[in-house]
Amino acid sequence: AQTVTQSQPEMSVQEAETVTLSCTYDTSESDYYLFWYKQPPSRQMILVIRQEAYKQQNATENRFSVNFQKAAKSFSLKISDSQLGDAAMYFCAYRSGNSGGGADGLTFGKGTHLIIQP
Amino acid sequence: DTGVSQNPRHKITKRGQNVTFRCDPISEHNRLYWYRQTLGQGPEFLTYFQNEAQLEKSRLLSDRFSAERPKGSFSTLEIQRTEQGDSAMYLCASSSLSSNTQYFGPGTRLTVL
């Protein structure tokens, strides 16, 4: 079974600074997808960014980018120019590239609580 | 496109009662997922539908839990004989067949007294 580990329960960053959230995963598969979701205090889970394992290029979405190291099974999220609205729980998630057998559900880490200091 | 909706948003019940939650996915999304999230944890996968077919159930889904998606549109999750350990946020997500991205609803928070 796949596992996702987020080793930072909480991170704090000054507004306008850059912060990196860590995520590692364990899998024997070569085809899979990785995601970062944001869950603000209102609790609605919002997709931040996604990465296909077969792509070597790191995904980028505006101020959000990832550092995907497939060999190291590492998938960190970098937030540049942090804003107060970025404060939330951030979850790293894994999805198998194979269909069926429970592979379609996401496996989540325990999350990192991001605090933005004004 | 109104996104994934879930009702009710909050449910308080007494131990032993039955509860039912509803999820309306994004229109034309074939795939629908249920997750459970307890405080301080990430969501855990419960079950998954493709159209009206329930294709996978997690070991977390005990016999007291049942989910349906009768016409391949909305889905219901029923918990019979609720226990205090069932208290959690129940999240629904949907995706299209052509995408691997799941979009989540706001969740239903269940409190079992």
Side-chain angles (χ1 to χ4, degrees):
Chain A
Q2 293 80 24
T3 58
V4 176
T5 302
Q6 293 180 250
S7 59
Q8 305 154 318
E10 187 172 280
M11 291 284 285
S12 181
V13 63
Q14 293 282 349
E15 196 175 0
E17 297 295 307
T18 295
V19 64
T20 298
L21 308 184
S22 312
C23 173
T24 58
Y25 56 94
D26 189 23
T27 184
S28 58
E29 299 177 329
S30 59
D31 184 21
Y32 51 87
Y33 304 86
L34 296 165
F35 305 85
W36 279 98
Y37 281 89
K38 168 186 177 182
Q39 192 174 40
S42 67
R43 310 281 298 199
Q44 180 125 21
M45 196 83 71
I46 303 166
L47 177 69
V48 175
I49 199 165
R50 58 173 273 172
Q51 175 81 42
E52 292 87 348
Y54 63 84
K55 290 186 177 179
Q56 292 186 338
Q57 188 172 4
N58 290 323
T60 300
E61 288 286 343
N62 300 314
R63 298 182 295 106
F64 299 87
S65 61
V66 298
N67 184 4
F68 173 48
Q69 301 289 328
K70 191 171 184 178
K73 296 180 183 175
S74 171
F75 182 61
S76 60
L77 174 69
K78 185 172 83 171
I79 306 173
S80 303
D81 184 26
S82 298
Q83 300 175 0
L84 292 177
D86 295 334
M89 284 292 291
Y90 285 80
F91 292 97
C92 179
Y94 172 104
R95 184 193 180 279
S96 172
N98 302 312
S99 293
D104 297 280
L106 294 170
T107 300
F108 284 86
K110 290 189 175 183
T112 296
H113 181 209
L114 179 63
I115 298 168
I116 311 295
Q117 305 277 7
Chain B
D1 183 356
T2 57
V4 179
S5 62
Q6 293 186 245
N7 288 287
R9 295 291 306 275
H10 303 274
K11 179 71 177 178
I12 299 174
T13 190
K14 292 182 179 179
R15 189 175 50 189
Q17 298 294 305
N18 299 343
V19 295
T20 301
F21 312 139
R22 175 176 170 132
C23 170
D24 287 86
I26 293 171
S27 57
E28 299 181 356
H29 272 190
N30 305 86
R31 293 174 170 167
L32 187 148
Y33 306 80
W34 286 99
Y35 294 83
R36 181 174 69 189
Q37 185 178 24
T38 53
L39 202 60
Q41 302 293 319
E44 296 172 297
F45 170 73
L46 291 178
T47 190
Y48 150 63
F49 289 85
Q50 184 163 304
N51 300 315
E52 66 275 10
Q54 188 173 17
L55 297 186
E56 187 63 28
K57 293 193 290 186
S58 161
R59 287 172 295 176
L60 293 174
L61 211 65
S62 76
D63 292 344
R64 298 184 297 105
F65 287 69
S66 62
E68 295 183 340
R69 195 183 183 197
K71 296 183 180 179
S73 56
F74 73 91
S75 175
T76 58
L77 177 68
E78 181 183 16
I79 309 175
Q80 296 182 325
R81 305 181 304 281
T82 52
E83 302 172 356
Q84 287 186 326
D86 297 331
S87 295
M89 178 74 84
Y90 290 84
L91 298 171
C92 176
S94 70
S95 72
S96 65
L97 280 177
S98 59
S99 170
N100 290 294
T101 299
Q102 297 178 24
Y103 297 90
F104 283 81
T108 295
R109 172 162 300 283
L110 173 66
T111 301
V112 182
L113 302 176

